[in-house]
């Protein structure tokens, strides 16, 4: 743990051109589908922010501050929601999981529909 504690990772930057209330947080292979879904929502007038983690251990030092800026945090994952579990435990954020475990990547249209629901809530 001491080795991990001495690692410095870059701060997380959220892509938020419109002052959104909802953040989509991703990591790994979800980058492409999340980006495509966020673009679809923005083209239709929706306001949504996106951030993508490159490091999970340690998390970026400013991750808590980024999460605090948003009312809703959605975490799409191609698993059972391990990142969402870590985020909830460490930052006490009521992150919404959107999970898919079928061996296929997210489809942008499907993900956009799920994110649109999060914005409308």
């Amino acid at each position: 743990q001491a080795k991990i504690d001495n690692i410095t990772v870059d701060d997380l930057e959220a892509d938020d051109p419109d002052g959104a209330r909802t953040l989509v947080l991703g990591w790994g292979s979800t980058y492409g589908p999340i980006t495509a879904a966020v673009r679809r929502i923005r083209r239709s007038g929706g306001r949504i922010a996106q951030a993508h983690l490159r490091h999970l251990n340690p998390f970026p030092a400013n991750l808590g501050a980024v999460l605090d800026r948003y009312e809703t945090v959605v975490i799409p994952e191609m698993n059972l929601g391990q990142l969402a579990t870590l985020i909830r435990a460490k930052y006490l954020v009521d992150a919404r999981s959107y999970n898919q475990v079928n061996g296929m990547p997210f489809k942008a249209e499907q993900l956009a529909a799920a994110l649109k629901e999060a914005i409308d809530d």
Side-chain angles (χ1 to χ4, degrees):
Q1 183 62 46
K3 289 181 183 179
I4 299 297
D5 290 342
N6 289 323
I7 296 172
T8 303
V9 299
D10 293 337
D11 281 347
L12 181 67
E13 293 187 26
D15 173 17
D16 186 1
D18 300 317
R21 297 181 322 166
T22 302
L23 172 70
V24 184
L25 181 65
W27 72 283
S29 65
T30 61
Y31 179 79
I34 289 172
T35 300
V38 165
R39 285 181 185 156
R40 283 176 186 244
I41 291 170
R42 288 179 181 167
R43 276 195 305 262
S44 68
R47 291 176 17 184
I48 191 164
Q50 173 185 0
H52 197 77
L53 292 168
R54 291 178 176 250
H55 304 279
L56 299 180
N57 191 21
F59 282 128
N62 72 330
L63 179 56
V66 170
L67 296 172
D68 286 342
R69 293 196 313 241
Y70 298 94
E71 291 178 21
T72 305
V73 176
V74 181
I75 304 176
E77 295 185 77
M78 302 291 298
N79 57 39
L80 296 176
Q82 286 89 332
L83 176 60
T85 300
L86 291 172
I87 295 295
R88 287 184 196 117
K90 184 168 176 106
Y91 298 102
L92 302 178
V93 172
D94 188 20
R96 296 184 187 184
S97 290
Y98 182 74
N99 305 328
Q100 178 173 299
V101 185
N102 63 7
M104 301 297 291
F106 287 117
K107 293 184 178 176
E109 183 176 332
Q110 166 194 16
L111 188 52
L115 296 176
K116 181 79 171 108
E117 285 181 32
I119 292 172
D120 293 340
D121 283 353

